[in-house]
Amino acid sequence: MQKGLFITFEGVDGCGKTTQIELLAEYLSLQGKETLITREPGARGLGEKLREILLNYPGEVSPNCESFLFLADRAQHIDCIIKPALEAGKIVLCDRHTDSTLAYQGYGRGIELEKINYLNEIAVSGLKPDLTIVFDIDVETSQNRVGKNKDRMEASGIEFFNRVRNGYLDIAQKNASRVKVIDASDRIENIHRKVVELYCRL
Ligand code: TYD
């Protein structure tokens, strides 16, 4: 039985979600809450090996293979890290989760969305985030933030990232009660205030 809270953070590369996760974790720890910051792909152990392949493999990677690797990492992450933390009553703050696969491999790479939804369901064995925050930002700004030193995924190009961004907005529209969008071009303190407001509504 789940006793904790599960919050996921989403958005294109360079949207600033990692900073916001850290700020929320600080806020929660001041409130005496036990939190776990984690990420996909590659929280730890086996996941780190999968992350290394996903972000740095130099040869061809087919979209289906890429999807299955992200999903394999997710299944391991849910079973071995997220579920135990939730059962222990922790607030789990997860940098990327199911909506990343939908946005990147679905909207971005063009794999059918129903297929991704089905595979995501298998990977998470029925567990859903209590809240998902999408940090929305225009792709040019986010690409400038990422800089020149790009990993395999980050090197996918402006058109790809525009599809991913619009995919996230579509996901938010279709899942309005779970997924909330915040303008990530705003000042860090303002974004943090909005994140805290969303948390407080849970
Ligand atoms: P990471 O360095 O963690 O990026 P960020 O700091 O922006 O979160 O790399 C994760 C990359 O993997 C990122 O480009 C998004 C991509 N990704 C997918 O394409 N599908 C997925 O299911 C997940 C979890 C990540």
Side-chain angles (χ1 to χ4, degrees):
M1 197 187 65
Q2 180 181 330
K3 290 191 246 141
L5 270 181
F6 183 25
I7 306 176
T8 61
F9 297 76
E10 297 278 0
V12 294
D13 294 71
C15 69
K17 61 188 162 43
T18 310
T19 307
Q20 291 300 327
I21 293 172
E22 283 161 12
L23 289 173
L24 180 61
E26 245 174 67
Y27 168 89
L28 293 172
S29 95
L30 287 174
Q31 307 234 317
K33 309 269 188 207
E34 249 203 293
T35 60
L36 171 75
I37 297 183
T38 188
R39 69 169 180 190
E40 291 181 13
R44 63 169 142 89
L46 172 61
E48 283 176 303
K49 302 254 182 212
L50 293 171
R51 179 181 174 88
E52 175 58 27
I53 299 172
L54 278 161
L55 300 190
N56 298 321
Y57 184 72
E60 186 185 355
V61 182
S62 87
N64 267 340
C65 171
E66 183 178 281
S67 303
F68 279 116
L69 289 173
F70 279 116
L71 286 151
D73 169 70
R74 180 158 308 129
Q76 173 84 357
H77 191 210
I78 278 277
D79 292 342
C80 302
I81 298 174
I82 295 179
K83 272 197 178 157
L86 291 173
E87 276 159 19
K90 292 186 186 165
I91 301 178
V92 175
L93 307 179
C94 186
D95 194 336
R96 298 194 179 281
H97 189 56
T98 44
D99 299 305
S100 280
T101 317
L102 207 49
Y104 280 74
Q105 281 65 51
Y107 292 86
R109 300 272 193 242
I111 294 182
E112 283 167 62
L113 302 181
E114 300 92 89
K115 267 193 202 164
I116 304 272
N117 279 330
Y118 178 63
L119 294 169
N120 260 335
E121 260 178 52
I122 296 173
V124 302
S125 342
L127 191 79
K128 269 205 167 174
D130 297 290
L131 169 67
T132 297
I133 305 177
V134 170
F135 296 88
D136 181 54
I137 192 157
D138 73 273
V139 167
E140 208 176 305
T141 310
S142 63
Q143 288 283 294
N144 285 340
R145 284 192 192 169
V146 168
K148 287 210 163 64
N149 206 354
K150 294 181 167 58
D151 64 38
R152 195 183 69 83
M153 292 304 299
E154 287 165 348
S156 301
I158 292 274
E159 278 178 23
F160 172 83
F161 279 105
N162 271 318
R163 288 197 297 277
V164 173
R165 180 196 186 187
N166 291 328
Y168 273 125
L169 297 177
D170 207 33
I171 292 168
Q173 215 174 30
K174 289 180 180 153
N175 301 272
S177 60
R178 171 179 64 87
V179 183
K180 308 292 177 192
V181 179
I182 293 182
D183 175 2
S185 64
D186 204 351
R187 291 160 60 95
I188 288 181
E189 315 85 79
N190 291 344
I191 300 174
H192 174 56
R193 193 171 34 75
K194 290 180 191 164
V195 169
V196 169
E197 274 168 22
L198 289 174
Y199 162 75
C200 290
R201 279 196 232 149
L202 284 173

